[in-house]
Amino acid sequence: MNKLFVIGNWKMNPLSLKKAKGLFDSIKRDFKSVKKTKKVEVILCPPFVYLATLGISSSARRKASYGGLVIGSQNCFLEEKGAFTGEISALMLKNLGCKYVIIGHSERRKYFQETDAMINKKLKIALRIGLIPILCIDKISQIKNGMKEILGKDIKKIIVAYEPIWAIGTGKACGYKEAKEFNVLMKKVLGKNHPTLYGGSVNSKNASGYIKESGFHGLLIGGASLKPKEFLKIIKLMVEQF
Ligand code: PEP
């Protein structure tokens, strides 16, 4: 295990800039107390509207002025530029200072009818622009379909998160054994060293098991990423794995 990822997906939260700033500052402040290691990458994915106003910028990223935290976005559009009212380009995100982008989250597949073909376009654009994609899946077929026509050297850059739909936001996390079985299937397709994550009702009580028992390279966290103390506990548990 070379590196672990802890990704906070804020989804459509919080509902005001003031609260978003409060959450961001609180995580940044507490994160200062965590033993620094390049082996754990902590990525926050706030809603688009807060990215710039939270002080996220390419120069801030260069200076690592989020105190070691890294910024990602929750989505991007499937075209790089053009007349697409209301959409956000991967290039805008990259230019703003984002390093990662979540693609194909099950909520986007369900509520916005995102298909594997659309997700494939988004992956290609993110890779071309230089954003690291975090591809969310809950079926093995979504890996091959989403990665169609993507070259092996680029496939290596895609982090793949297993998120069983029934476990997302329900408080019913997947058992370690079942998660491990799915992880083994993912590694058969992707290669044994490919970074794979688990997501679905992760908290500080169950987090470590997905690394130690199920063999994942990190966690994609929704609800618990909105609770700074709980999120920090999970980060500390990941740092302790090394
Ligand atoms: C998610 O948003 O991807 C997620 C896994 O949410 P939660 O941790 O709340 O289940």
Side-chain angles (χ1 to χ4, degrees):
M1 185 170 65
N2 303 325
K3 191 168 180 171
L4 288 174
F5 298 87
V6 184
I7 305 172
N9 173 18
W10 289 7
K11 309 196 191 200
M12 201 169 71
N13 297 293
L15 293 178
S16 74
L17 175 60
K18 193 169 168 219
K19 287 188 178 150
K21 275 185 178 154
L23 178 59
F24 192 57
D25 289 345
S26 170
I27 294 172
K28 264 200 301 189
R29 196 174 47 242
D30 293 351
F31 189 61
K32 281 192 191 139
S33 69
V34 178
K35 196 175 110 206
K36 291 291 163 295
T37 167
K38 287 210 160 60
K39 297 199 171 227
V40 179
E41 178 114 307
V42 181
I43 304 155
L44 293 182
C45 302
F48 289 137
V49 284
Y50 298 140
L51 288 172
T53 40
L54 287 177
I56 287 148
S57 67
S58 48
S59 62
R61 187 179 141 199
R62 271 196 301 279
K63 290 186 213 141
S65 56
Y66 321 119
L69 296 166
V70 180
I71 305 299
S73 97
Q74 300 174 17
N75 182 30
C76 67
F77 189 51
L78 46 73
E79 297 287 347
E80 185 183 319
K81 59 182 176 184
F84 300 105
T85 303
E87 289 299 340
I88 307 285
S89 157
L91 187 54
M92 292 174 188
L93 297 164
K94 170 83 175 167
N95 287 340
L96 196 61
C98 288
K99 182 171 172 189
Y100 293 87
V101 56
I102 297 174
I103 292 179
H105 192 282
S106 64
E107 286 152 14
R108 298 220 48 96
R109 292 180 193 258
K110 179 175 173 190
Y111 300 119
F112 302 93
Q113 290 75 46
E114 284 196 11
T115 61
D116 284 338
M118 291 161 79
I119 287 159
N120 176 252
K121 281 192 172 184
K122 292 187 180 200
L123 286 174
K124 286 175 181 163
I125 285 196
L127 289 162
R128 192 168 75 229
I129 298 298
L131 287 174
I132 301 174
I134 301 153
L135 169 66
C136 299
I137 60 140
D138 82 322
K139 292 182 193 70
I140 291 295
S141 61
Q142 291 168 341
I143 301 178
K144 280 219 165 121
N145 293 344
M147 293 186 183
K148 219 169 177 177
E149 296 158 0
I150 298 180
L151 298 176
K153 71 173 175 35
D154 281 334
I155 287 178
K156 285 202 180 90
K157 297 177 192 158
I158 304 174
I159 298 169
V160 185
Y162 169 48
E163 295 212 302
I165 295 177
W166 51 265
I168 299 179
T170 58
K172 293 182 196 128
C174 186
Y176 299 140
K177 190 167 166 277
E178 195 183 327
K180 182 179 178 173
E181 281 164 12
F182 197 91
N183 198 13
V184 169
L185 295 177
M186 287 164 87
K187 302 273 187 182
K188 271 198 186 138
V189 178
L190 293 162
K192 80 173 183 340
N193 295 320
H194 198 100
T196 56
L197 315 183
Y198 169 77
S201 296
V202 170
N203 57 41
S204 61
K205 293 200 174 72
N206 62 24
S208 299
Y210 293 107
I211 313 302
K212 287 190 205 153
E213 300 197 27
S214 314
F216 287 97
H217 294 81
L219 303 161
L220 179 47
I221 303 168
S225 72
L226 299 168
K227 300 178 194 148
K229 297 273 171 279
E230 180 70 355
F231 192 54
L232 258 291
K233 263 194 207 167
I234 299 173
I235 295 170
K236 284 185 178 159
L237 289 167
M238 295 303 110
V239 172
E240 282 166 15
Q241 307 279 330
F242 292 98

